[in-house]
Amino acid sequence: MNRMNTQAKGNLFEQQIAEVYQRTTALFKTTEESGSQSQLVLECLEELRIALEELHVAEEELRQQNEQLIEAREAAEIERYRYQELFEFAPDGYLVTSLSGTVQEANQAAASLLNIAKKYL
């Protein structure tokens, strides 16, 4: 999922929480002002309001964690690209093999030394 799509979904979620919170607050005030409702309804609305506040805090924490994960992934991609460039353009031949000895990756110098096209290594 790309960053913009993730942010859009996060903003929609935040907006939905805010709308529910506003409706709950308005309902609580209306119920409180009418005076004809039972204390139980008021307590339920107050518990719902508190739960929504906690949900909002959790949503914000998740957003921050998601942003940190995106930044970490981007940093890892940059480092991987850097490694790949260093590996590919190293003057010495390098082969990356599996435990069984199968060549998984080779740089251009290795292909030249072995006189085999890189894709066949």
Side-chain angles (χ1 to χ4, degrees):
M1 190 178 311
N2 66 33
R3 190 176 205 160
M4 296 297 282
N5 195 14
T6 302
Q7 287 176 342
K9 286 184 179 183
N11 290 341
L12 178 62
F13 184 62
E14 181 180 358
Q15 182 181 13
Q16 289 171 336
I17 290 174
E19 289 172 4
V20 170
Y21 181 78
Q22 289 172 352
R23 289 191 304 237
T24 303
T25 302
L27 184 58
F28 179 78
K29 286 180 181 177
T30 302
T31 303
E32 189 177 45
E33 291 169 357
S34 71
S36 64
Q37 300 297 322
S38 71
Q39 184 64 27
L40 182 60
V41 172
L42 291 173
E43 289 173 11
C44 289
L45 288 171
E46 179 63 14
E47 285 183 33
L48 180 58
R49 185 187 66 75
I50 291 169
L52 285 168
E53 285 179 8
E54 291 171 355
L55 183 60
H56 178 68
V57 169
E59 181 268 335
E60 183 59 35
E61 289 173 356
L62 285 173
R63 180 196 322 273
Q64 290 174 355
Q65 290 174 358
N66 191 38
E67 287 176 4
Q68 290 171 348
L69 284 172
I70 289 170
E71 289 172 7
R73 188 187 79 213
E74 289 172 352
E77 277 296 311
I78 290 169
E79 287 301 313
R80 187 196 64 76
Y81 180 74
R82 183 173 167 262
Y83 161 79
Q84 190 64 38
E85 282 187 330
L86 289 171
F87 178 80
E88 184 59 37
F89 298 110
D92 297 324
Y94 290 104
L95 298 173
V96 177
T97 61
S98 67
L99 291 175
S100 63
T102 305
V103 175
Q104 295 178 324
E105 195 172 353
N107 69 355
Q108 189 59 46
S112 295
L113 284 171
L114 297 171
N115 200 26
I116 299 173
K118 196 170 129 179
K119 65 181 179 180
Y120 296 117
L121 290 172

